[in-house]
DNA sequence: AAATGATCATGA
DNA sequence: TCATGATCATTT
C-alpha cells in the first residue's frame, strides 16, 4: 500500500481510499509515506490532517476551498476516544468580520465547506502517542435538512451579531452546533472588525467550529445499524 | 472532566 | 495577514 499519487477521480474512489486506511496506525502510514511521526502534537497540531491529505491525494495548500474541489468534497480528520466520542471540536473555516453585508447562508463559506465531508475518525486519546493512534472507518456525510437548519440558525445568529458590531460579545457558548472561537497564531494577532458604534475596531481573528455534540451525532448516525 | 480561549506550523 | 491543518492548556 502507498499514498495516492493522483487526486481521486470520483467520490467512490475517495471513500475507497479512505476506508482502506482503517486499522492502520499513524506511525505505519507515516513510515509508508516516508514521513517522520512527531513524538507529540504540541508543535505539530495539523500533522494528522496533512498525513491523510497525502494518503488520499488532496492538493496541498491553504486555499479557502474544499480539499477535493473536483468532487466538491471536504476532508476532515476527527479525533475520537475508545468509545467513538469526539475529543475536540472541529474547525470549519475562518469567519469574515468585515464586508459581510449581503452574505447569505446559501453563499457562506460554512455551508460550502460542509456540503459534503469525508470524515476520517482517528482514535486519538492524549495518552496514546501519535505513532500508535489508529485510523477508524471513514464515512461520507452530507447534511440532512435538520442538520443544515441547525447550522444555518447558528450561523445566522453569529453573523448578525458580527454585523451589528457585537463580535467581542460572542463567546463559544453561542450556538447549539456551531461556535465562534479565536483562530490565530497568538494573542497578538489582530484583524479589522465592526465595533459597537459602527466604527472599525481591531480584534482577534475568529473561526467557526463544529461543537462535539454535533460531530458525535454524525458518528452515531454513520455507524448505527438500522 | 469538559469546554473555552489560546496557540503552533506552514504556505501564498 | 489570511487561510489551511488542528490540538493545547488554562479556566470553569
Amino acid at each position: 500500500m502507498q499514498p495516492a499519487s493522483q487526486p481521486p477521480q470520483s467520490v467512490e474512489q475517495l471513500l475507497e481510499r479512505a476506508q482502506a486506511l482503517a486499522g492502520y496506525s499513524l506511525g505505519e502510514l507515516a513510515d509508508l509515506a516516508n514521513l517522520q511521526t512527531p513524538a507529540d502534537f504540541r508543535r505539530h497540531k495539523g500533522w494528522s490532517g496533512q498525513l491523510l491529505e497525502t494518503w488520499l491525494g488532496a492538493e496541498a495548500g491553504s486555499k479557502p476551498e474544499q480539499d477535493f474541489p473536483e468532487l466538491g468534497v471536504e476532508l476532515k480528520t476527527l479525533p475520537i476516544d475508545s468509545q467513538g466520542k469526539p475529543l475536540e471540536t472541529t474547525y470549519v473555516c475562518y469567519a469574515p468580520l468585515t464586508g459581510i453585508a449581503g452574505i447569505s447562508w446559501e453563499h457562506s463559506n460554512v455551508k460550502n465547506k460542509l456540503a459534503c465531508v469525508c470524515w476520517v475518525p482517528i482514535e486519538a486519546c492524549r495518552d496514546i502517542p501519535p505513532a500508535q493512534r489508529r485510523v477508524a472507518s471513514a464515512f461520507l456525510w452530507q447534511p440532512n435538512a435538520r442538520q443544515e437548519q441547525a447550522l444555518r440558525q447558528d450561523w445566522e445568529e453569529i453573523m448578525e451579531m458580527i454585523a451589528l458590531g457585537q463580535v467581542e460579545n460572542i463567546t463559544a457558548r453561542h450556538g447549539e452546533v456551531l461556535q465562534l472561537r479565536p483562530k490565530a497564531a497568538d494573542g497578538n494577532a489582530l484583524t479589522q472588525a465592526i465595533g459597537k458604534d459602527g466604527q472599525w475596531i481591531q480584534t482577534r481573528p475568529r473561526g467557526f467550529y463544529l461543537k462535539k455534540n454535533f460531530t458525535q451525532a454524525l458518528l452515531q448516525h454513520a455507524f448505527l445499524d438500522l
Side-chain angles (χ1 to χ4, degrees):
Chain A
M1 195 166 79
Q2 58 184 314
S5 55
Q6 296 290 131
Q9 297 301 302
S10 67
V11 174
E12 293 72 25
Q13 186 178 30
L14 169 61
L15 192 57
E16 273 178 28
R17 287 181 183 180
Q19 292 183 337
L21 304 181
Y24 284 89
S25 69
L26 298 183
E28 289 169 338
L29 294 178
D31 287 347
L32 288 167
N34 290 311
L35 297 171
Q36 294 290 313
T37 307
D40 63 66
F41 286 159
R42 279 179 296 185
R43 294 183 174 276
H44 301 272
K45 297 183 181 182
W47 186 85
S48 305
Q50 295 181 340
L51 177 66
L52 268 292
E53 286 181 348
T54 297
W55 271 92
L56 300 177
E59 304 293 334
S62 57
K63 297 175 288 249
E65 299 168 5
Q66 290 145 323
D67 294 295
F68 301 100
E70 307 295 309
L71 306 180
V73 177
E74 174 74 8
L75 175 69
K76 292 229 164 279
T77 60
L78 181 60
I80 57 171
D81 65 16
S82 57
Q83 301 178 79
K85 296 176 60 175
L87 289 165
E88 297 286 350
T89 55
T90 302
Y91 171 67
V92 179
C93 61
Y94 231 66
L97 302 182
T98 61
I100 55 183
I103 300 184
S104 67
W105 164 251
E106 295 299 328
H107 295 96
S108 69
N109 209 171
V110 173
K111 180 181 176 179
N112 180 248
K113 285 274 183 159
L114 300 181
C116 187
V117 180
C118 179
W119 292 96
V120 183
I122 299 176
E123 283 188 64
C125 285
R126 289 196 193 181
D127 57 0
I128 306 174
Q132 295 172 33
R133 299 184 185 186
R134 286 188 184 282
V135 177
S137 184
F139 64 98
L140 207 61
W141 168 73
Q142 294 179 263
N144 65 30
R146 287 194 316 277
Q147 292 165 342
E148 177 166 344
Q149 178 54 34
L151 291 165
R152 175 179 185 149
Q153 182 170 325
D154 286 347
W155 182 89
E156 289 180 342
E157 285 182 14
I158 291 167
M159 290 305 295
E160 181 170 11
M161 288 187 73
I162 293 172
L164 293 175
Q166 298 297 310
V167 64
E168 297 196 308
N169 295 327
I170 303 173
T171 72
R173 298 167 192 78
H174 286 84
E176 296 295 319
V177 298
L178 190 69
Q179 63 183 180
L180 193 75
R181 304 221 306 278
K183 173 63 172 169
D186 55 53
N188 298 319
L190 291 174
T191 192
Q192 199 169 52
I194 305 164
K196 59 178 179 293
D197 299 311
Q199 81 285 25
W200 293 122
I201 60 169
Q202 293 291 115
T203 192
R204 296 175 3 268
R206 305 301 209 283
F208 283 109
Y209 295 78
L210 295 177
K211 298 177 77 167
K212 289 191 215 172
N213 59 356
F214 188 76
T215 47
Q216 178 166 6
L218 301 188
L219 286 162
Q220 287 175 347
H221 288 144
F223 298 114
L224 197 61
D225 287 325
L226 289 178

